[in-house]
Amino acid sequence: MVLLPWELEEDILSRLPPRSLVQFRSVCKRWNALFDVKSFNKDQFARARPQFIFITDSKIYSIEIIGLDGVDPTIKLHVLDSSGIPYREWKFAYLTITACDGRWIKWIEYENKGFNVCGVGYDNTRPEKVYKILGYLECRREESSNACYQRVAIYECASHAFKFIDTSNKVWFISDVQRYSVCLNGNLYWLSFDDFRILCFDFSREIVKPFCLLPCRKFDKCDLLALQVFKGDRLSLLNQCCKTRTIEIWVTKKKIDSSNNNGSDEVVWISLLTLPPNNLPNLFIVCYGISYFIYDKTTLIIYCEDENTSAACIYIIRGDLFKKFEIDSSAFFCYHCVYAPNFIPLPLM
């Protein structure tokens, strides 16, 4: 038997589709360990075909976006294996799907169903990734009272332990994190509309801190603002004008990593795309939010509901190209959707 050089093995494996790659984790310990190597993940991320992952009342799906470099892009729907995931028994009362660094999606079970999940991250100062969940618990002020208040807490997946966070002197709202947060390099970032800033929850220090000002500080209260990760190492901001439905996309000029995530008003944003209204719905009023990504700095792909039929839709917009793919609303109803550029289903934690 001829053994290939390890560098060649790694290069070959990095070119496999994610669904094929996950089948080879059990071949040997060295192949399995590749999933934790940053350079390998980066190569996989660069070659990944964009897709959305979403959950309905009966199945888990991925929508693969195909042919974005051509003149006639399309989508392909996959039904994912959800055996062993008991989400149907919970009737969606405790269900959240989220991406961490846009790379992996894991099913995480926790015992306290009264814990409301806001986002997932990890301590980026440690060599291994120990995932943590930021959320809150509804607590009663007195035993005999029905009045409740929110206590912000961190749930550590490895130890299954809760830790309460002091937020008495912090001007931020946990509901904003729950609705508008994205994860980048282990930290959560979200929009704060009160002071036109992006805030950050640092899981290594377990504190909230300001990150930067929004690039667009003048907007109507009914305009849609949505934050997303761009190229795996930057942030992007989508702004849709409620009156004209014109969309503008901003992205941070430099990479965001441990050296510059302490927050600064000197973070530079650049205007990447301005797109005409076409036939896009008013994204501000869609019931279950939106998910989007930018391809090759020229193409915007958005998941949202049709504002008339509530059917799940994918929109692909580039220059004069406008394509809408409506997924049969009679077949299912979409509850949660997330952009996952390189989805690989991993074992339950």
Side-chain angles (χ1 to χ4, degrees):
M1 181 177 63
V2 178
L3 295 178
L4 296 174
W6 172 237
E7 293 79 8
L8 182 56
E9 277 189 45
E10 184 175 340
D11 182 67
I12 292 172
L13 290 172
S14 71
R15 297 172 187 274
L16 292 175
R19 289 183 184 84
S20 299
L21 183 61
V22 75
Q23 298 175 8
F24 296 114
R25 295 190 69 179
S26 59
V27 171
C28 63
K29 292 182 179 179
R30 190 165 64 169
W31 284 18
N32 184 58
L34 272 177
F35 283 70
D36 296 320
V37 177
K38 289 185 177 181
S39 59
F40 180 78
N41 289 338
K42 186 176 180 180
D43 288 342
Q44 267 278 309
F45 191 92
R47 296 187 176 102
R49 182 177 288 172
Q51 60 184 309
F52 293 98
I53 307 298
F54 63 95
I55 295 179
T56 72
D57 55 0
S58 59
K59 292 182 176 66
I60 300 178
Y61 294 85
S62 73
I63 301 179
E64 198 171 8
I65 316 299
I66 302 171
L68 283 174
D69 292 319
V71 296
D72 190 27
T74 186
I75 67 172
K76 186 175 182 180
L77 191 68
H78 301 275
V79 180
L80 301 179
D81 181 15
S82 59
S83 59
I85 301 179
Y87 71 92
R88 295 184 189 87
E89 302 170 8
W90 298 348
K91 298 180 181 179
F92 294 94
Y94 317 108
L95 178 64
T96 298
I97 183 172
T98 184
C100 188
D101 278 356
R103 180 64 178 87
W104 308 111
I105 298 181
K106 292 190 177 185
W107 184 269
I108 300 172
E109 294 187 72
Y110 52 93
E111 295 179 357
N112 193 323
K113 300 301 188 297
F115 182 59
N116 298 277
V117 174
C118 295
V120 178
Y122 55 88
D123 182 350
N124 57 27
T125 64
R126 299 172 63 174
E128 74 285 355
K129 289 184 180 180
V130 178
Y131 289 95
K132 300 179 181 181
I133 304 174
L134 178 68
Y136 63 92
L137 292 154
E138 298 283 355
C139 303
R140 289 187 180 183
R141 296 190 180 279
E142 299 177 3
E143 287 293 330
S144 59
S145 173
N146 291 326
C148 295
Y149 66 98
Q150 295 175 349
R151 289 198 68 183
V152 179
I154 291 176
Y155 176 82
E156 188 174 279
C157 300
S159 63
H160 303 289
F162 281 96
K163 179 180 180 181
F164 288 104
I165 304 297
D166 179 21
T167 59
S168 58
N169 61 343
K170 302 291 190 301
V171 184
W172 60 290
F173 299 95
I174 194 68
S175 58
D176 288 344
V177 189
Q178 193 172 28
R179 295 179 61 191
Y180 306 114
S181 67
V182 297
C183 179
L184 178 58
N185 292 327
N187 295 329
L188 288 177
Y189 297 84
W190 68 92
L191 303 172
S192 174
F193 296 102
D194 289 338
D195 52 6
F196 305 102
R197 286 180 180 270
I198 294 176
L199 300 182
C200 171
F201 187 85
D202 187 334
F203 278 94
S204 62
R205 300 169 62 191
E206 298 182 346
I207 61 169
V208 177
K209 57 190 181 185
F211 179 68
C212 70
L213 293 171
L214 293 176
C216 46
R217 300 176 199 175
K218 293 183 179 180
F219 51 85
D220 190 276
K221 64 179 181 180
C222 291
D223 286 358
L224 186 280
L225 293 178
L227 198 63
Q228 189 57 271
V229 175
F230 176 63
K231 284 192 169 182
D233 55 19
R234 295 170 173 82
L235 291 175
S236 69
L237 181 71
L238 181 150
N239 178 19
Q240 185 192 44
C241 175
C242 64
K243 296 177 181 178
T244 66
R245 300 198 181 184
T246 300
I247 285 181
E248 187 171 15
I249 305 289
W250 299 77
V251 298
T252 52
K253 186 176 181 180
K254 296 182 179 180
K255 297 179 181 179
I256 298 170
D257 53 31
S258 57
S259 64
N260 62 3
N261 71 353
N262 290 321
S264 171
D265 292 339
E266 297 179 358
V267 173
V268 177
W269 292 83
I270 58 175
S271 179
L272 183 70
L273 280 173
T274 300
L275 298 168
N278 293 308
N279 295 314
L280 271 177
N282 184 345
L283 300 177
F284 183 81
I285 64 173
V286 296
C287 294
Y288 289 92
I290 72 164
S291 187
Y292 76 92
F293 68 93
I294 304 156
Y295 181 78
D296 198 29
K297 299 183 181 180
T298 60
T299 307
L300 175 66
I301 299 93
I302 300 180
Y303 161 85
C304 68
E305 295 176 3
D306 185 281
E307 58 187 330
N308 297 316
T309 66
S310 295
C313 295
I314 299 291
Y315 296 88
I316 301 177
I317 310 162
R318 179 181 63 221
D320 296 332
L321 173 69
F322 179 86
K323 298 196 73 174
K324 176 185 177 181
F325 300 92
E326 183 172 315
I327 303 169
D328 186 5
S329 58
S330 64
F332 53 76
F333 190 81
C334 182
Y335 288 86
H336 297 270
C337 178
V338 64
Y339 167 55
N342 204 0
F343 171 76
I344 297 179
L346 295 178
L348 303 184
M349 293 183 62

